[in-house]
Amino acid sequence: MSKRRLPYMPLWVEDYHRDTRHLSTEEHGAYLLLLMAAWEAPSNSLPDDDQTLSGLAKVAPARWAKMKPRIMTFWHLDGRSKMWVQKRLKKERRLAVDRKQKASDAAATRWNKTKKGDAQAMLEQCYPSITTNTKPNGFSKRAGAQKKSDICELKEAFADG
């Protein structure tokens, strides 16, 4: 995934419903498809071209001509760039890019720290007052020796007798 792409687009359902209750089912579909197309576009906007807009909305050009006035009331035509811009979409895109950058920075910071790879180092990090390099008092040299199983001990006991 490129650094500019965002795989999700936040949709505030309550806000969306409040603003679009007057749209038909077909108009809802066309509007959402336009929002998604603008979200994915590097400019975060749509060209001022009815043929392109009808294609993005997945409706015939004649049908687009009828629904355009209702749908494009949610958009603003930037006179300089000749692109349709949706104010809320721009705001959400900026927030999403900021969140993605912060998460990326946090991950880089986390992964670029110097790590100690042994268990002793981990124990010292968790419990700095505990050291396991020396044996605690009271252990004999045989304390670390492998114990014999009960069966081996029984065999030895009966073999001597």
Side-chain angles (χ1 to χ4, degrees):
M1 179 172 48
S2 73
K3 290 192 179 258
R4 293 191 51 92
R5 277 193 68 203
L6 295 167
Y8 66 92
M9 179 183 79
L11 177 66
W12 300 96
V13 176
E14 185 178 340
D15 294 345
Y16 178 83
H17 275 158
R18 182 184 58 243
D19 295 341
T20 62
R21 289 197 191 280
H22 64 285
L23 297 179
S24 70
T25 302
E26 184 181 34
E27 290 167 338
H28 274 288
Y31 179 50
L32 284 169
L33 287 169
L34 292 175
L35 284 172
M36 288 185 259
W39 182 264
E40 292 177 328
S43 64
N44 202 211
S45 55
L46 300 171
D48 185 24
D49 175 40
D50 285 334
Q51 188 165 346
T52 302
L53 292 174
S54 71
L56 291 171
K58 308 286 189 231
V59 295
R63 184 69 188 125
W64 172 249
K66 291 180 182 176
M67 66 171 54
K68 180 182 177 181
R70 288 176 65 126
I71 293 174
M72 298 315 279
T73 59
F74 301 106
W75 299 77
H76 166 73
L77 182 59
D78 183 356
R80 237 181 332 157
S81 67
K82 301 290 185 215
M83 300 289 277
W84 288 98
V85 179
Q86 216 278 350
K87 187 174 140 184
R88 177 72 183 258
L89 190 70
K90 283 261 190 207
K91 176 186 170 193
E92 293 299 332
R93 175 70 171 260
R94 275 193 308 273
L95 291 171
V97 168
D98 288 347
R99 277 192 301 270
K100 183 178 179 182
Q101 186 61 50
K102 285 178 186 174
S104 177
D105 292 345
T109 300
R110 218 174 22 252
W111 285 102
N112 290 332
K113 286 185 178 176
T114 305
K115 294 181 179 177
K116 296 183 179 180
D118 63 356
Q120 178 62 35
M122 187 180 294
L123 183 62
E124 288 172 2
Q125 283 181 337
C126 294
Y127 303 100
S129 62
I130 297 176
T131 57
T132 57
N133 291 340
T134 59
K135 290 183 182 175
N137 293 338
F139 281 117
S140 67
K141 291 181 182 178
R142 291 183 38 97
Q146 190 174 15
K147 277 187 140 186
K148 294 180 182 176
S149 70
D150 292 337
I151 294 174
C152 286
E153 287 181 7
L154 284 173
K155 285 181 182 178
E156 286 177 4
F158 286 107
D160 291 339

